[in-house]
Amino acid sequence: MSHEAALLHELPLTAAARTPDAIALHDGARRLSYGELAYDIERFASGLASLGTRRGDRIAIFLDKRLETVIASFGAPAAGAVFVPINPLLKPDQVGYILRDCAVRVLVTSTDRLKSLAAALGECPELHHVVVVGAPPAGTALPVPLQGWSELLDAPRKAGHRVIDTDIVGILYTSGSTGKPKGVVLSHRNMVAGAKSVASYLGNCSDDVLLAALPLSFDAGFSQLTTAFRAGASVVLLNYLLPKDVVKAIEAHRVTGLTAVPPLWIQLTQVSWPDAARQSLRYFANTGGRMPLDTLKSLRAIMPQASPFLMYGLTEAFRATYLPPEEVDRRPDSIGKAIPNTEILVLRPDGSACEPGEPGELVQRGALVAQGYWNDPERTAERFKPLPGHLAGVMIPEVAVFSGDTVRKDEEGFLYFIGRRDEMIKSSGYRISPNEVEEVLYATQLIAECAAFGIPHPSLGEEVAVVVTPREGQVLDTARLIAMCRDRLPAYMVPSRVESREGPLPRNANGKIDRKALGEAMRAALAAGEAR
């Protein structure tokens, strides 16, 4: 296969045709060449076909990062099915919800995870098969037939279903405002176009070694696979417990590219980096929220030869913008400009374009815009809408994704993130971005982590509250922290409530600090206190 990949599973298969002996994946002591990966993808696809999998059937994958996770993620599309990666941190009830919501037909999971899922699987009438990685669990009654991983791959060869690039290839579940996750529906075209775009500006090549530290159920985590496979690069699969595990993996594998979320980057600035780890990275990339400037400065000091790529994206369109490394010194607080083959608009509520410096909603158009939310036409209609002022004479309206994020654009076209519409703090008639407050808190260098949010106030509407953790080995001086905030923030943005706690702040399933949960907990505690 020598043509340009148009379908998701063609990314590794095309690389295998070029360089079959090159290493595609590292999983602890296990390695898989591109030739071996392609062979196993085709065997998995054939195994699904032998189970009677139909075109478009959903195949859920509930595993940690391992070779089998990758094989299943690309093997399901090769069979003409739709892969549904489930974050391994989710609890059985949450997994059961996803299995029911998108009517999963086949679940791929491990022996230990299957034991905890037994009750939830009984409530999934559309589930026909469970494929188990490892020995079948002893003494566990299950309502669904089991198939061993090796047994599936050794099934008699059977062809899958033909698909084209506009067909659905995956459903990525992301946390929703209602508490129930929402499934973002992606086509082959969405994912392949995203891989091509990101690999182009990161300059990925066959010599790269990328570290997959983010969950593969997270769009930026799965992107490590797609961009690497498009370039014929290697990927190191890492299930880390501590930040130092990440540094050890960088050193051991001579990693050249790492993409992470701000909480992990913050932690990585607080551990020791051996010279070999400091020198191997060609680039580091940030996604999933704004990286504090103090953290960026520390990372650049740790690995001065590495190019920093500051990125912004949303699961509904994979990736939206990036700031070229050569612009970081001039505008480190910018999220950059649109990635290749994407256009970013900043629009007012009436659909007209904002002037430079005027806040508006970030709207993305192009090949990366997802197909909507699974089984949720109401929320799909809210977020995925026809562009206003469409070209005259074009009969089919173009649908763009309206992010719900507030940004502004400067005179040169660079974008600046202000905040999520549903996270903005509204105090004394002002709209306050929690990111701006957090940026100042980090700049004080008195804290390790923080989260800012609004809590109800009888006269202000909301007041600014923050939860912070002290730096390791230090005792936080709250009064000094507030005094430094007063020096750097207007009065209406200065936190009026500061809660200090030990240890890392809670994360959501994608590794981001769970600002929403922290805010809800403080609001509930205050309400309970008032009730007493």
Side-chain angles (χ1 to χ4, degrees):
M1 184 182 299
S2 59
H3 66 276
E4 174 91 358
L7 305 175
L8 179 66
H9 54 280
E10 289 179 349
L11 290 170
L13 301 187
T14 301
R18 289 194 312 262
T19 53
D21 296 329
I23 299 302
L25 295 168
H26 300 263
D27 175 14
R30 298 194 296 169
R31 301 195 308 174
L32 214 58
S33 70
Y34 271 102
E36 292 166 331
L37 175 59
Y39 179 58
D40 284 347
I41 285 172
E42 289 167 345
R43 291 169 71 203
F44 184 87
S46 177
L48 285 183
S50 72
L51 293 179
T53 302
R54 303 161 301 190
R55 175 172 166 165
D57 274 348
R58 273 71 64 201
I59 313 299
I61 304 158
F62 185 48
L63 293 167
D64 59 4
K65 285 194 283 285
R66 55 192 300 164
L67 299 182
E68 292 83 359
T69 311
V70 180
I71 293 164
S73 297
F74 288 82
V82 175
F83 82 104
V84 184
I86 300 178
N87 194 304
L89 298 179
L90 295 189
K91 303 299 183 185
D93 286 349
Q94 296 170 303
V95 176
Y97 171 80
I98 292 174
L99 298 180
R100 292 189 300 275
D101 186 58
C102 65
V104 164
R105 187 176 180 88
V106 178
L107 168 66
V108 183
T109 190
S110 58
T111 306
D112 54 338
R113 293 177 185 280
L114 187 55
K115 292 177 184 176
S116 66
L117 289 177
L121 297 186
E123 300 173 357
C124 301
E126 298 300 320
L127 187 66
H128 284 61
H129 301 277
V130 174
V131 178
V132 187
V133 178
T140 304
L142 293 168
V144 185
L146 296 187
Q147 179 111 31
W149 176 266
S150 298
E151 184 185 355
L152 183 81
L153 265 60
D154 291 338
R157 286 305 178 98
K158 188 172 183 180
H161 303 280
R162 184 176 187 270
V163 292
I164 61 173
D165 69 350
T166 52
D167 285 328
I168 296 171
V169 68
I171 304 175
L172 269 57
Y173 276 82
T174 183
S175 55
S177 57
T178 63
K180 296 292 187 184
K182 51 190 178 183
V184 178
V185 180
L186 301 166
S187 69
H188 284 269
R189 180 183 292 177
N190 292 149
M191 301 202 80
V192 173
K196 181 177 181 179
S197 181
V198 174
S200 70
Y201 69 76
L202 291 178
N204 290 125
C205 64
S206 59
D207 292 335
D208 272 327
V209 179
L210 307 189
L211 183 60
L214 297 172
L216 298 181
S217 55
F218 180 31
D219 59 312
F222 198 80
S223 170
Q224 305 314 298
L225 299 175
T226 58
T227 53
F229 292 168
R230 189 178 192 280
S234 294
V235 180
V236 178
L237 303 173
L238 179 67
N239 301 288
Y240 70 90
L241 293 174
L242 300 168
K244 65 181 180 182
D245 298 333
V246 176
V247 177
K248 285 180 181 177
I250 293 170
E251 180 183 21
H253 295 279
R254 305 292 296 163
V255 169
T256 63
L258 173 60
T259 299
V261 292
L264 177 55
W265 284 128
I266 292 165
Q267 291 177 323
L268 288 174
T269 63
Q270 298 168 14
V271 297
S272 175
W273 283 65
D275 285 343
R278 292 160 61 102
Q279 294 162 8
S280 73
L281 281 171
R282 178 175 67 77
Y283 71 85
F284 63 92
N286 178 65
T287 190
R290 183 172 168 183
M291 183 190 287
L293 296 181
D294 187 56
T295 303
L296 176 60
K297 189 185 301 180
S298 298
L299 289 169
R300 297 182 75 188
I302 290 169
M303 38 186 166
Q305 82 295 338
S307 298
F309 286 86
L310 306 182
M311 303 190 292
Y312 159 91
L314 48 156
T315 307
E316 291 85 354
F318 184 65
R319 190 76 69 250
T321 69
Y322 82 101
L323 184 68
E326 61 271 17
E327 293 288 344
V328 169
D329 286 329
R330 291 207 298 159
R331 49 185 107 242
D333 54 342
S334 170
I335 59 172
K337 293 183 177 181
I339 67 171
N341 196 29
T342 283
E343 184 175 9
I344 301 298
L345 309 171
V346 184
L347 302 182
R348 303 184 181 105
D350 64 3
S352 59
C354 291
E355 295 295 326
E358 179 186 357
E361 183 174 10
L362 183 145
V363 176
Q364 182 169 346
R365 60 180 292 259
L368 278 67
V369 173
Q371 310 304 298
Y373 299 121
W374 179 266
N375 204 25
D376 196 340
E378 186 175 324
R379 280 199 289 188
T380 296
E382 289 174 2
R383 189 60 64 90
F384 297 87
K385 297 183 282 191
L387 275 175
H390 199 65
L391 292 173
V394 177
M395 304 308 294
I396 301 175
E398 178 188 357
V399 172
V401 60
F402 287 66
S403 70
D405 290 351
T406 302
V407 299
R408 62 179 175 84
K409 184 187 290 187
D410 67 17
E411 295 282 355
E412 297 178 66
F414 286 91
L415 293 153
Y416 298 82
F417 182 83
I418 296 175
R420 289 198 66 81
R421 191 160 50 200
D422 55 359
E423 289 185 342
M424 297 293 278
I425 303 165
K426 304 171 188 69
S427 181
S428 303
Y430 294 98
R431 290 173 58 81
I432 302 167
S433 165
N435 296 81
E436 289 187 68
V437 177
E438 291 165 0
E439 186 72 49
V440 169
L441 290 168
Y442 282 119
T444 66
Q445 299 191 0
L446 297 179
I447 62 162
E449 294 182 339
C450 68
F453 43 83
I455 57 174
H457 187 276
S459 59
L460 301 177
E462 286 185 317
E463 60 181 322
V464 179
V466 297
V467 177
V468 299
T469 65
R471 291 200 164 205
E472 190 173 355
Q474 297 182 9
V475 176
L476 181 65
D477 184 340
T478 304
R480 186 179 172 211
L481 181 70
I482 292 294
M484 293 179 76
C485 286
R486 286 201 182 98
D487 289 341
R488 304 175 189 207
L489 287 170
Y492 66 86
M493 291 180 68
V494 174
S496 53
R497 290 183 184 268
V498 179
E499 177 187 320
S500 179
R501 59 169 70 180
E502 294 296 322
L505 295 180
R507 267 57 168 167
N508 63 22
N510 289 335
K512 304 175 189 177
I513 291 174
D514 199 336
R515 184 189 286 149
K516 181 180 177 184
L518 288 165
E520 288 175 348
M522 183 180 286
R523 285 188 283 270
L526 290 170
E530 290 170 2
R532 287 197 294 270

